[in-house]
Amino acid sequence: MEAFLAQVLSGLATGGIYASVALALVMIHQATHLVNFAQGEMAMFSTYIAWSLLNAGMPYWAAFFLTVAISFAGGMLIERLVIRPVEKGSVLSVVVVFIGLLVILNAVAGWIYSYTVKPFPSPFPAEPLFGAYVSSHGVGAIAVTLVVVLLLWAFFRFTPLGLAMRAAAQNPVSARLVGIRVGWMKALGWGLAAAIGAIAGMMVAPVVYLDPNMMAGILLYAFAAALLGGIDSPVGAVVGGFIVGVLENLVGTYLIGNELKLTVALVLIVGVLIVKPSGLFGSTTVERV
Amino acid sequence: MKARSIAIAILLVAACVLPFVVSNFRVFQFTMVLVYAIVLLGLNMLTGYNGQISLGHGAFYAIGAYTAAILMDRFGAPYWLTVPVSALVCLVAGFLFGLPALRLEKVYLALATFALGVALPQILKSKGLEHWTGGVQGIVITKPDAPFGIPLSADQWLYFFTLAVTVAMFVLAVNLLRGRIGLAMVAIRDHPLAASAMGIDIAMYKSLTFGVSAMYTGVGGALGAIAVQFVAPDSFTAFLSIAFLVGIVVGGLATIEGALFGALFIQFVPNVADQVSKAAPWAIYGIVLIAFMYLMPGGVSGVIRQAWRRKNV
Amino acid sequence: MSSRPWQILLLALAVSATSVFAQKKYDPGATDTEIKIGQTMPYSGPASAYGTIGRVETAYFQKVNDEGGVNGRKLKLLSLDDGYSPPKTVEMTRKLVEQDEVLFIFQPLGTAANSAIHKYLNAKKVPHLFVASGATKWADPKNFPWTMGWNPSYQTEGRIYAKDILARHPNGKIAVLYQNDDYGKDLLKGLKDGLGDKAKMIVMEASYEVSDPTVDSQIVSLKGSGADIFVNIATPKFAALAIRKVYDIGWKPVHYLNNVSLSVGSVLTPAGLEKSVGLITTGYLKDATDVAWTNDPAMKDFIAFMKKYYPEGNVSDSSNVYGYSAAQALVQVLKQCGDNLTRENVMRQAANLKNFQLPLARPGVAVNTSPADFNVFKSMQLQRFDGKQWVGFGDAVH
């Protein structure tokens, strides 16, 4: 029983990581109806910026917020300069641009910072809570993620800007007709996603260590989590993240061993999607003839 | 169109002359270009013509490659037999995968196929299949020599064999895509409701397209395995699937000739990038990719067709 | 008129001509002024952390060239990226051999990558020298006379740990964490072979993939197996994750760490030095961050070299010590070749290293090769981490 609980708790901790990256994916999808494959690398790069700031002597929270601000601006810039010119083309050409972005960020990070693993500090105390299996950082990271989800939900639900963003993504033509600057809404979406990604990266790095390939494995699980929860639901992303984290651990320990756990976990997720094609919390789109 | 026939004829002649004017190493590289062209043709059918995004075609490439390797290494089968067997295996595998997958739309299908691409190397490494697949050590294959004592090097002979298969696959594709079936595929991509109202059996067509697309990729995989003479799980990572996607977009979606341009891109551009920058070659590759998407959103094929149209106006 | 002077002159000319031809012998890639060396390295992709090996070797050859080269010839290393993908390795190796016409291939990295070119290089009779992989099959001179490995074999390392366990903890229960690839499985095999019929001591094995974000789940399971001995077969990042988690969940096994991850700077420091006390590993090279070698002249030379020729490299990364040493061994082989730079002679000299002590090899660990024995490093020493440095104990073992 203790072992089972330990696996579940450890799964929730990793799930928190997937949830935060999944949130960033959902964010961009809300704004642009695209899945950003470069999200992981953007988060990784932001974390390296934070690392440089910390290395230069800046205190943690100052570096944290400065990195979030820089990432926000960076995200908006990427949308305006890199994505904007190809938006009009097919979905797949945008996907290829994402791939290009992914590859560039990864290569540049490796070139500037080398591939040696670097420890990244956590703002939370080092003592474990609830016995040895849960760290304060794990709980803290989940708390931060939940705060971000709450803020996002409130933003979309209660602010005019949030409404404008949703309108711009769902029906750009009508949105323009009522005076919404669709282009800037998209850029805002990217900026927010980049900021969320930066937060995710800074929460993840203390757990998995900082290196240019840090996000590669996480992105797949985050992708699965976001889709499982429903690509248009921030709450879904977080729930999806926890489910994926716990599932991964339980499948690996009790079902099939670590060799095939990724396969089985993905098969299960795809299975859920076949039964419920828009994800657990997603809304089904009605197609008009 | 006469111009097209002339272009194809010139291309074929050039392809036949090539192995005699360049080194064996280059012949090997061009054999890989042909292999990728077959693969991209298959993927283009699924994603370009039929609108089903696949981020996991590397898995079918791997299945084709391992089928060839196991046949040649464990069963001593002749190399030419591996091509039709891989084709059949992948046709079935693709169809079986396509059946449940057709319920998924766009980004969800992308995840499902990506999951396939990521899962397959794991499956290949697993203890259960180790006896057949060689596990992490992989399988070494011997390249066949030219038969009947024809004075060609092994590289050249394999090139011609691959060329013959490539031409056959292209001819098959043209027949499929230019006719009723191609129209149905495009109709399903553009307006599935209207298509089904017209009587097209969407489920059947989508699954079949998946199967045929996997078949093409598997044939490419088998030929690729023989050319490289080695298969291992590390050869078929998720990145391979992504490279294929890049290939069809750069070459030109929903075009047949795009497969060739895309194949040239994914074979040679990484090498060129490596020569441009030793420090961060993939950064150069990424920049080239983005530049291609800006300048040629319709792919290389798109640019050529546009230029041709303008010329004729 | 006497023809004697002419005869003598002609004879002298003939003798000097043949002796010129007898002295210098070249295969493709070697000339009077340079030696072309080929290499494939994963500069991109999942194993890009090892790319630094190629970079440090390039830097070292630059230093050698600045000091006049080897026997007056400059060393030119053509190191190409293969992204850790075997088809790419094949392509790049064929390019190096057939297009660039290098004299030999030096330290290509990765077991799968090298498996792909193993047969090819032996068929082409091109030396496949100092392969950067610990798989046992690189030391097989009878079947593959052109291939020689570099790393002490992983199986040897596994056996050494088994021996120590049998000697000092014969009644223990063993849990193993291993990377699910050829390297991890090879080490595990060595461990099991070394335990012999006591292999039942292993109560649990857990594997991980390079794509896994953490190994928390595996460590939790391994602790739950009740084992009191833990064998940690993981590459640097995962080894650090494991060391930290083992400590954090309050598990205190006898902890063996494989030597790929022994670097104090890149593994133990991220894990936490206080969490690494008591770790046992084997060693054959010195670690630059280990205070044991602070005043060692050879180490000081290395640090000065890194500063001057490879400043962007990380001194604490044990891969750099590894590459530096391999490059030095190669220079020794080439020195021994003299002016006979045929591929055959390169192999012959590589199989002719006698008691060659590398500056950064641990004392007592010398390189010895012979035509029947292609194992470059045979012995290693067990060492224990005391919170600050690795301290050797026992004698060097095989």
Side-chain angles (χ1 to χ4, degrees):
Chain A
M1 189 57 205
E2 192 207 331
F4 178 79
L5 200 63
Q7 292 292 354
V8 169
L9 286 174
S10 138
L12 284 174
T14 13
I17 297 176
Y18 303 146
S20 49
V21 180
L23 209 54
L25 285 173
V26 165
M27 185 69 241
I28 288 211
H29 193 267
Q30 290 275 55
T32 62
H33 279 207
L34 293 167
V35 175
N36 179 12
F37 292 109
Q39 189 65 56
E41 305 307 295
M42 285 167 62
M44 176 271 294
F45 206 83
S46 302
T47 315
Y48 267 111
I49 293 176
W51 183 85
S52 303
L53 292 174
L54 288 168
N55 242 31
M58 207 180 267
Y60 182 87
W61 289 109
F64 183 90
F65 284 110
L66 186 57
T67 303
V68 171
I70 294 175
S71 306
F72 180 81
M76 287 189 75
L77 216 67
I78 290 179
E79 201 283 331
R80 296 263 89 188
L81 294 178
V82 177
I83 310 296
R84 171 63 57 88
V86 283
E87 255 170 1
K88 302 281 191 298
S90 75
V91 168
L92 282 169
S93 24
V94 185
V95 169
V96 171
V97 169
F98 287 152
I99 293 170
L101 205 55
L102 185 164
V103 158
I104 292 175
L105 285 171
N106 188 290
V108 171
W111 177 45
I112 299 178
Y113 296 101
S114 95
Y115 289 92
T116 326
V117 155
K118 295 176 177 24
F120 192 84
S122 160
F124 305 107
E127 301 86 48
L129 304 169
F130 309 133
Y133 292 105
V134 182
S135 67
S136 312
H137 177 83
V139 173
I142 293 175
V144 167
T145 307
L146 290 175
V147 166
V148 173
V149 172
L150 209 63
L151 288 173
L152 263 187
W153 177 80
F155 170 74
F156 277 123
R157 187 82 162 63
F158 297 119
T159 66
L161 196 55
L163 185 61
M165 263 183 72
R166 279 192 293 153
Q170 221 164 53
N171 201 335
V173 176
S174 305
R176 266 196 205 95
L177 285 171
V178 296
I180 295 175
R181 306 273 297 279
V182 171
W184 279 108
M185 290 301 107
K186 290 197 179 160
L188 186 62
W190 269 77
L192 281 176
I196 297 172
I199 297 175
M202 289 189 281
M203 289 296 110
V204 165
V207 179
V208 301
Y209 297 123
L210 179 60
D211 84 288
N213 292 323
M214 157 174 107
M215 283 301 199
I218 295 175
L219 188 66
L220 172 60
Y221 284 111
F223 189 24
L227 290 179
L228 181 65
I231 193 71
D232 49 4
S233 161
V235 170
V238 174
V239 172
F242 288 125
I243 294 179
V244 169
V246 174
L247 195 68
E248 182 203 345
N249 277 11
L250 292 181
V251 166
T253 315
Y254 295 107
L255 209 52
I256 199 101
N258 289 298
E259 265 193 350
L260 289 175
K261 73 169 179 197
L262 177 59
T263 309
V264 174
L266 288 171
V267 164
L268 286 173
I269 290 167
V270 171
V272 169
L273 285 177
I274 290 177
V275 170
K276 226 183 169 293
S278 317
L280 294 172
F281 291 88
S283 44
T284 32
T285 37
V286 178
E287 268 202 44
R288 301 166 110 223
V289 177
Chain B
M1 259 172 45
K2 223 169 152 224
R4 173 165 285 160
S5 317
I6 296 179
I8 295 176
I10 296 178
L11 205 61
L12 274 173
V13 169
C16 290
V17 169
L18 190 73
F20 300 108
V21 296
V22 296
S23 66
N24 267 333
F25 165 66
R26 288 276 182 229
V27 171
F28 164 69
Q29 283 188 315
F30 279 105
T31 310
M32 291 311 289
V33 169
L34 291 174
V35 164
Y36 292 140
I38 300 176
V39 171
L40 294 182
L41 199 50
L43 183 58
N44 214 344
M45 250 186 241
L46 184 68
T47 301
Y49 284 91
N50 196 228
Q52 298 190 69
I53 300 182
S54 171
L55 288 179
H57 258 50
F60 297 115
Y61 186 84
I63 294 176
Y66 266 90
T67 307
I70 292 174
L71 280 174
M72 284 176 76
D73 186 67
R74 305 276 192 261
F75 292 108
Y79 67 97
W80 46 265
L81 187 62
T82 67
V83 174
V85 175
S86 293
L88 193 61
V89 169
C90 287
L91 178 65
V92 172
F95 183 78
L96 289 176
F97 186 81
L99 273 176
L102 56 85
R103 281 210 63 181
L104 300 171
E105 281 304 312
K106 303 187 209 138
V107 75
Y108 298 91
L109 180 63
L111 172 69
T113 49
F114 193 53
L116 182 66
V118 166
L120 200 74
Q122 268 211 332
I123 297 174
L124 289 169
K125 278 196 280 190
S126 68
K127 287 203 186 87
L129 291 177
E130 221 169 35
H131 178 66
W132 294 105
T133 64
V136 290
Q137 298 281 353
I139 304 176
V140 179
I141 307 171
T142 329
K143 212 179 270 199
D145 284 314
F148 317 122
I150 302 177
L152 289 172
S153 71
D155 285 313
Q156 288 168 327
W157 169 248
L158 190 63
Y159 172 86
F160 280 116
F161 180 73
T162 309
L163 183 62
V165 175
T166 310
V167 169
M169 300 302 271
F170 265 77
V171 167
L172 179 64
V174 167
N175 282 325
L176 272 177
L177 294 168
R178 293 268 167 83
R180 259 183 47 237
I181 299 180
L183 277 172
M185 284 164 64
V186 173
I188 293 175
R189 176 192 77 191
D190 288 338
H191 215 298
L193 275 165
S196 83
M198 297 271 289
I200 297 177
D201 184 345
I202 299 204
M204 185 51 51
Y205 264 97
K206 275 176 121 173
S207 311
L208 267 178
T209 309
F210 222 107
V212 172
S213 158
M215 177 185 88
Y216 268 74
T217 311
V219 166
L223 290 167
I226 301 174
V228 172
Q229 300 181 267
F230 182 70
V231 293
D234 280 321
S235 310
F236 309 112
T237 61
F239 193 72
L240 185 64
S241 301
I242 293 181
F244 290 157
L245 191 75
V246 166
I248 57 168
V249 178
V250 166
L253 284 168
T255 67
I256 292 180
E257 67 274 19
L260 194 56
F261 301 127
L264 285 165
F265 185 90
I266 59 181
Q267 172 59 37
F268 289 114
V269 171
N271 297 354
V272 169
D274 198 38
Q275 290 182 337
V276 169
S277 159
K278 264 261 96 87
W282 286 97
I284 305 287
Y285 181 81
I287 292 174
V288 170
L289 262 186
I290 296 182
F292 258 77
M293 288 302 100
Y294 284 4
L295 301 169
M296 310 187 210
V300 173
S301 235
V303 166
I304 294 182
R305 285 181 180 197
Q306 235 181 6
W308 190 254
R309 243 176 272 140
R310 247 182 238 146
K311 178 175 167 292
N312 281 350
V313 162
Chain C
M1 181 160 124
S2 160
S3 62
R4 279 278 292 224
W6 287 112
Q7 286 173 327
I8 295 174
L9 184 59
L10 262 143
L11 192 59
L13 272 173
V15 167
S16 57
T18 49
S19 67
V20 162
F21 288 136
Q23 270 168 24
K24 295 191 193 174
K25 286 208 275 222
Y26 296 137
D27 266 345
T31 66
D32 281 349
T33 52
E34 92 172 353
I35 304 176
K36 264 199 285 199
I37 307 168
Q39 181 183 74
T40 53
M41 267 284 149
Y43 289 113
S44 66
S48 41
Y50 295 119
T52 189
I53 294 175
R55 295 201 181 95
V56 74
E57 285 165 353
T58 307
Y60 187 74
F61 292 147
Q62 182 61 47
K63 170 175 182 291
V64 167
N65 290 345
D66 282 354
E67 292 164 1
V70 175
N71 295 327
R73 294 179 186 86
K74 301 269 194 265
L75 302 176
K76 187 165 176 198
L77 180 67
L78 296 169
S79 182
L80 300 179
D81 178 24
D82 71 347
Y84 209 66
S85 169
K88 207 68 187 165
T89 316
V90 169
E91 189 193 334
M92 292 297 112
T93 305
R94 289 196 63 171
K95 173 179 186 295
L96 289 166
V97 169
E98 295 170 36
Q99 195 174 53
D100 299 314
E101 294 190 316
V102 296
L103 184 60
F104 56 90
I105 302 287
F106 166 63
Q107 276 238 308
L109 191 139
T111 304
N114 279 289
S115 301
I117 56 177
H118 198 195
K119 247 191 184 170
Y120 169 77
L121 288 174
N122 277 273
K124 284 265 186 198
K125 301 199 171 53
V126 174
H128 185 195
L129 212 45
F130 298 154
V131 172
S133 143
T136 327
K137 59 184 171 184
W138 314 126
D140 184 6
K142 220 187 276 177
N143 296 312
F144 294 100
W146 296 92
T147 301
M148 184 182 290
W150 174 257
N151 301 30
S153 117
Y154 296 132
Q155 288 190 18
T156 303
E157 191 184 345
R159 276 197 291 271
I160 292 177
Y161 298 135
K163 238 192 207 160
D164 193 59
I165 292 174
L166 288 174
R168 300 190 301 121
H169 308 278
N171 296 317
K173 289 192 258 190
I174 307 173
V176 183
L177 174 74
Y178 68 99
Q179 184 160 301
N180 188 20
D181 65 3
D182 45 85
Y183 129 80
K185 290 187 173 179
D186 229 8
L187 253 162
L188 181 59
K189 179 172 192 298
L191 183 71
K192 286 184 175 163
D193 287 348
L195 290 171
D197 49 6
K198 290 217 125 195
K200 285 189 279 324
M201 287 169 76
I202 300 178
V203 294
M204 188 167 189
E205 299 166 11
S207 70
Y208 71 89
E209 304 289 328
V210 173
S211 56
D212 287 349
T214 69
V215 289
D216 288 358
S217 169
Q218 286 90 333
I219 300 291
V220 168
S221 304
L222 289 172
K223 177 182 183 216
S225 72
D228 52 0
I229 302 173
F230 174 50
V231 180
N232 185 351
I233 302 175
T235 46
K237 173 170 132 166
F238 296 96
L241 287 168
I243 294 170
R244 188 178 67 179
K245 190 71 181 173
V246 166
Y247 184 89
D248 283 347
I249 60 175
W251 188 22
K252 294 182 176 23
V254 178
H255 190 152
Y256 289 89
L257 176 68
N258 72 152
N259 67 27
V260 165
S261 301
L262 60 60
S263 165
V264 175
S266 4
V267 178
L268 302 188
T269 307
L273 290 177
E274 73 286 5
K275 303 185 181 181
S276 311
V277 174
L279 285 176
I280 300 171
T281 190
T282 55
Y284 63 106
L285 294 174
K286 300 172 186 168
D287 173 24
T289 52
D290 193 335
V291 301
W293 312 112
T294 318
N295 292 318
D296 177 50
M299 188 54 78
K300 286 190 181 160
D301 284 343
F302 171 67
I303 294 177
F305 153 76
M306 289 291 286
K307 218 175 182 177
K308 183 165 180 215
Y309 284 97
Y310 187 28
E312 67 274 21
N314 201 337
V315 167
S316 68
D317 189 346
S318 53
S319 295
N320 287 328
V321 171
Y322 175 96
Y324 179 81
S325 301
Q328 287 179 324
L330 183 70
V331 167
Q332 174 66 24
V333 169
L334 290 174
K335 275 198 191 133
Q336 283 177 209
C337 285
D339 280 332
N340 181 348
L341 288 167
T342 58
R343 289 169 171 161
E344 199 235 326
N345 196 29
V346 168
M347 263 341 273
R348 202 177 321 127
Q349 296 310 323
N352 188 24
L353 293 166
K354 301 294 175 211
N355 276 330
F356 176 53
Q357 182 70 29
L358 284 161
L360 290 186
R362 296 181 66 90
V365 175
V367 171
N368 270 301
T369 56
S370 79
D373 177 10
F374 274 17
N375 275 308
V376 172
F377 287 101
K378 284 176 270 292
S379 60
M380 293 191 272
Q381 185 174 38
L382 286 165
Q383 35 188 358
R384 191 182 282 112
F385 191 68
D386 69 358
K388 282 222 198 73
Q389 63 191 53
W390 289 103
V391 179
F393 66 94
D395 304 312
V397 261
H398 294 263

